[in-house]
Amino acid sequence: MTSVGTQHQFTIDLPAPWAREMMDGLLAAPFSPYRSDAELERLWEHAKRCVEDFPDEVRSELIRFGSRLSGRGALLLRGLPIADATLGPTPADWTVEALAKRTWETETFLLAVASVLGEVFAFARQHDGNVVQNVVPISADAYTQKGTGSKVFLQWHTEDAYDRLRADFVALLCVRSDPSAKTAIVDADQVPVTPEHRKILMQPRFHIGVDPASGGSGRPEDGPMLPILGEDADGNLTIRLDTDQVCAVAGDIGAAEALEAFRRDIPSAARYLTLAAGDLLILDNYRTLHARTAYSPRFDGTDRWLQRVSITKDLQKSAEVRTRRLRVVDLDASLLG
């Protein structure tokens, strides 16, 4: 096993013999994450048992990342051997009905990694509440600011920036790659910002809109008033932002100037990754912005295909708004702020 680390990103190359053994048998289970919540729970328990077979370095780095002791905003695991021929075509959309894949090794690995970091969950407003979400290009969404878009740059964002129950971590497993699509990452504390602007950005002088994929208008002015930057209990800088759906409060010139300067300087701190099949990228959703470059899908069954889960360190905090499904926040829950 080899690992390459920087202060803000850490890459682990999975040992090939172990990864092959996992895919050839240890991850196999008859449980689908899509058919029912009860079956998902059985797969979740199986995935947690699989962690017992993880190499010590992999498990310990996941624990450090999940505890936020590493100081890094991203963790990349590389080298899960995915046999492309066994996948079936890339789905035409994210629905379960469009999925031809009938074995669940990739989903199990994704859930196993997530289980070290916390508990997986979903919002009913997204992907019909699927906990494991298949993110693929959809022709009708090509020019939109959705994960299913493709023809335009997907702007810098944290997931569900407006939401008080937003994920602590987001994990993305590349099932099928497109070399022309690059994932971009920026750690909040690497974006140059003056002390004056930092102070302003830490005040609730901004509207963050609710994106159309979550049932909102996408207009910033319709969203709640929130700060963009903050600090956690250990004094680490945190961020909540969607650069496509944010504006300063009307008439607040200082906030508008601080936002524009911050938005302008984000690319100067960016890192770009081309995810290969078998790469699993974990993002700290409180420390890291991410984006995606434009690309040109073919819509022929061979396009880019990611699987995504949202992870919380405290599932109990959403208990009052999970009244219908164990891991899914209710559709009508008001979560702004």
Side-chain angles (χ1 to χ4, degrees), residues 2-17:
T2 59
S3 56
V4 179
T6 69
Q7 181 181 357
H8 296 278
Q9 181 184 328
F10 194 83
T11 301
I12 296 177
D13 292 316
L14 301 175

Side-chain angles (χ1 to χ4, degrees), residues 137-138 142 149-151 178 180 295-300 303-304:
I138 296 177
S150 54
K151 295 286 191 176
D178 184 327
S180 67
Y295 69 107
S296 297
R298 298 166 294 278
F299 303 110
D300 61 357
D303 286 321
R304 189 176 192 249

Side-chain angles (χ1 to χ4, degrees), residues 47-77:
K48 290 195 293 185
R49 289 192 293 272
C50 289
V51 175
E52 298 172 4
D53 293 305
F54 277 27
D56 289 343
E57 183 180 354
V58 174
R59 189 166 53 245
S60 63
E61 286 298 336
L62 286 170
I63 291 170
R64 289 188 72 239
F65 184 79
S67 65
R68 295 189 165 116
L69 294 175
S70 69
R72 301 183 180 100
L75 179 65
L76 179 64
L77 306 182

Side-chain angles (χ1 to χ4, degrees), residues 4-11 61 64-65 69-76 185-191 236-237 269-271 273 281-284 287-289:
V4 179
T6 69
Q7 181 181 357
H8 296 278
Q9 181 184 328
F10 194 83
T11 301
E61 286 298 336
R64 289 188 72 239
F65 184 79
L69 294 175
S70 69
R72 301 183 180 100
L75 179 65
L76 179 64
I185 307 170
V186 166
D187 290 85
D189 61 3
Q190 293 299 289
V191 180
N236 298 306
L237 193 68
R271 310 185 301 281
L273 304 172
L281 177 64
I282 310 167
L283 301 169
D284 188 324
R287 291 185 177 182
T288 307
L289 295 168

Side-chain angles (χ1 to χ4, degrees), residues 191-215:
V191 180
V193 59
T194 67
E196 179 184 359
H197 283 170
R198 177 175 172 140
K199 182 178 179 180
I200 293 172
L201 292 166
M202 297 181 82
Q203 298 170 3
R205 295 164 66 174
F206 308 90
H207 290 286
I208 298 179
V210 181
D211 60 276
S214 297

